[in-house]
Amino acid sequence: MPAPTRLSERISRIAVSATMKVATDAAKLRARGRDIVDFGPGEPDLPTPANVKLAGIRAIQDNFTRYTAAGGTQELREAICERHAADFGTSYTPSECAVSAGGKHALFNILQALIDPGDEVVVPLPHWSTFHDIVSYCGGVSVHAPTEEAGAFAITASLIERHLTDKTRALIINSPCNPTGEVIPAEEWERIYAVTSKRGIWLISDECYSHLVYEGQPFSATSIRGARSTVIVAGSLSKTYAMTGWRIGYVLAPPRVASAVAKLQSQSTSNPNSVAQKAAVEALRGSQEFRTEMLAEYRQRRDLGLAGLQAIPGIRCHEPKGAFYLYPNIRPLLGRNWIQSTTQFAEQLLEQAGVAVVPGEAFGTTEHIRITFAVSRRDLERGLLRLKTFVADLAE
Ligand SMILES: Cc1ncc(COP(=O)(O)O)c(C=O)c1O
């Protein structure tokens, strides 16, 4: 009998996450003893707050180590609804909430529940590549709506409207945006909602960076009046509470969508980690001081990073209003030293200067690199200095 060789057609539609690839490449060099400054991962360098860690330890000691409901404990779903009400003035109930193993998992399950083969999902460009891959995995088609750098990558209702067709089933918005840091103003959100709701299109709002805004107040699409029946939130504790490894995300949605997500989990992952669920309750109900402190620290790092980039000839960077990424344009540097693309630029920068960044191609643009400023100030300064030297050494 020949050995089986065939994988499903479905699995070949997706690629390994670009940020994970950068992390793997950086880890390989580190294993060879190289000192790498890692601007790749979208991950806070700060530790999980002490009260949250203690809640996790307590959960283990109390033997809270068994299966829970597939869509998360009642206690955590209540805590998510309470926190959302306190932050955004909403009134969700646990039947409109499902807890997943991170925001990515929440998004994956939402799209699995909504999208059939051939359905179109509009996604502004540049965007987190996972959106595109998950939609493809569902058999859907992601329709990219390109924003303009000259307009600070603004996502507008008119841009969205131009990309809607009879096949559009959903729109995915991520504000603050990974990778551009663009934050959609509340009035524009209203217009976007008006455009989608009148055509019966789901508005999926990825709010994983919603608390990382450097101007104005955090915003949730669920606070748009009347939006509750068509808006679906994919939320996460990963960035807001420095809990990336704990894997807790959530869905806030009409009950049949939340139940569909829980049903899918009941046949796939089962519940999110029980210990992490207890820690998440503490994160949401305990002191929120951490969020304020983290934001103040990130603002300083953003300013430091921006100033450092602006001092490098050939690099131009707009000021991100949210999230923790800088998305500089490096077009004048392409073509030097046989570097033709941002992927090649990132490879050479890692190999020669020991700095890991994510190429813009991973987000659908051809002239940018993404730099995380959720790294220590020391690393930020060291990495930018290395970048400056690397650029200065590129032959014209
Ligand atoms: C835009 C966006 N959405 C969602 C996530 C999900 O994060 P997690 O799965 O850790 O909650 C990320 C993580 O980088 C992200 O950048």
Side-chain angles (χ1 to χ4, degrees), residues 3 35 100 137 149 155 163 172 186 198 205 230 264 309 330 337:
D35 170 37
S100 305
Y137 195 73
E149 186 170 7
I155 297 166
H163 292 81
I172 305 178
K198 99 175 161 230
S205 179
T230 47
L264 179 55
L309 284 176
I330 59 159
N337 280 25

Side-chain angles (χ1 to χ4, degrees), residues 79-358:
I80 289 167
C81 298
E82 280 164 21
R83 169 80 5 239
H84 212 265
D87 289 343
F88 302 114
T90 54
S91 56
Y92 279 91
T93 58
S95 66
E96 297 163 290
C97 179
V99 186
S100 305
K104 191 183 272 190
H105 187 217
L107 262 163
F108 185 90
N109 290 350
I110 291 167
L111 288 164
Q112 291 293 335
L114 303 183
I115 302 305
D116 279 322
D119 286 345
E120 291 180 3
V121 179
V122 174
V123 194
L125 202 77
H127 62 238
W128 190 46
S129 57
T130 295
F131 296 144
H132 171 84
D133 282 49
I134 300 180
V135 171
S136 302
Y137 195 73
C138 296
V141 179
S142 60
V143 175
H144 300 164
T147 60
E148 286 181 21
E149 186 170 7
F153 299 105
I155 297 166
T156 62
S158 67
L159 170 76
I160 301 301
E161 196 161 25
R162 289 200 295 280
H163 292 81
L164 302 180
T165 72
D166 290 347
K167 293 188 183 151
T168 312
R169 284 271 286 162
L171 163 68
I172 305 178
I173 298 276
N174 171 222
S175 171
C177 171
N178 171 9
T180 65
E182 156 67 359
V183 176
I184 300 176
E187 322 78 70
E188 198 60 44
W189 264 117
E190 300 268 352
R191 289 191 275 271
I192 292 171
Y193 170 68
V195 162
T196 49
S197 64
K198 99 175 161 230
R199 299 174 67 143
I201 293 167
W202 291 108
L203 173 48
I204 302 172
S205 179
D206 176 348
E207 302 192 351
C208 117
Y209 298 100
S210 60
H211 291 284
L212 297 179
V213 286
Y214 304 107
E215 289 162 30
Q217 291 304 309
F219 181 84
S220 167
T222 53
S223 18
I224 300 170
R225 201 183 325 206
R228 198 148 154 171
S229 58
T230 47
V231 168
I232 300 173
V233 169
S236 171
L237 274 71
S238 285
K239 326 281 173 170
T240 316
Y241 300 99
M243 290 180 71
T244 45
W246 296 78
R247 309 309 302 137
I248 295 291
Y250 57 88
V251 176
L252 286 172
R256 69 202 170 96
V257 178
S259 306
V261 166
K263 177 169 74 170
L264 179 55
Q265 289 179 189
S266 79
Q267 293 292 12
S268 52
T269 52
S270 292
N271 59 277
N273 178 293
S274 61
V275 171
Q277 289 193 66
K278 280 286 185 192
V281 170
E282 173 60 27
L284 296 164
R285 287 190 170 150
S287 162
Q288 300 298 303
E289 199 58 32
F290 174 79
R291 299 198 317 199
T292 318
E293 288 164 10
M294 179 173 65
L295 194 63
E297 176 62 27
Y298 284 162
R299 183 181 282 108
Q300 294 197 16
R301 295 183 193 178
R302 177 196 63 166
D303 295 345
L304 189 70
L306 197 58
L309 284 176
Q310 282 165 346
I312 304 178
I315 294 188
R316 191 179 75 224
C317 190
H318 71 283
E319 183 183 72
K321 298 192 211 93
F324 44 51
Y325 306 106
L326 294 157
Y327 202 55
N329 185 308
I330 59 159
R331 186 166 58 141
L333 307 177
L334 298 177
R336 297 188 193 174
N337 280 25
W338 298 284
I339 292 176
Q340 301 298 345
S341 66
T342 67
T343 301
Q344 288 172 358
F345 184 92
E347 281 165 5
Q348 291 303 313
L349 182 65
L350 179 59
E351 192 58 44
Q352 293 177 31
V355 178
V357 299
V358 185

Side-chain angles (χ1 to χ4, degrees), residues 367-382:
E367 300 177 351
H368 305 85
I369 53 173
R370 192 194 75 175
I371 291 178
T372 306
F373 57 81
V375 296
S376 69
R377 293 189 208 191
R378 180 172 169 269
D379 270 1
L380 199 53
E381 281 166 355
R382 277 186 336 128

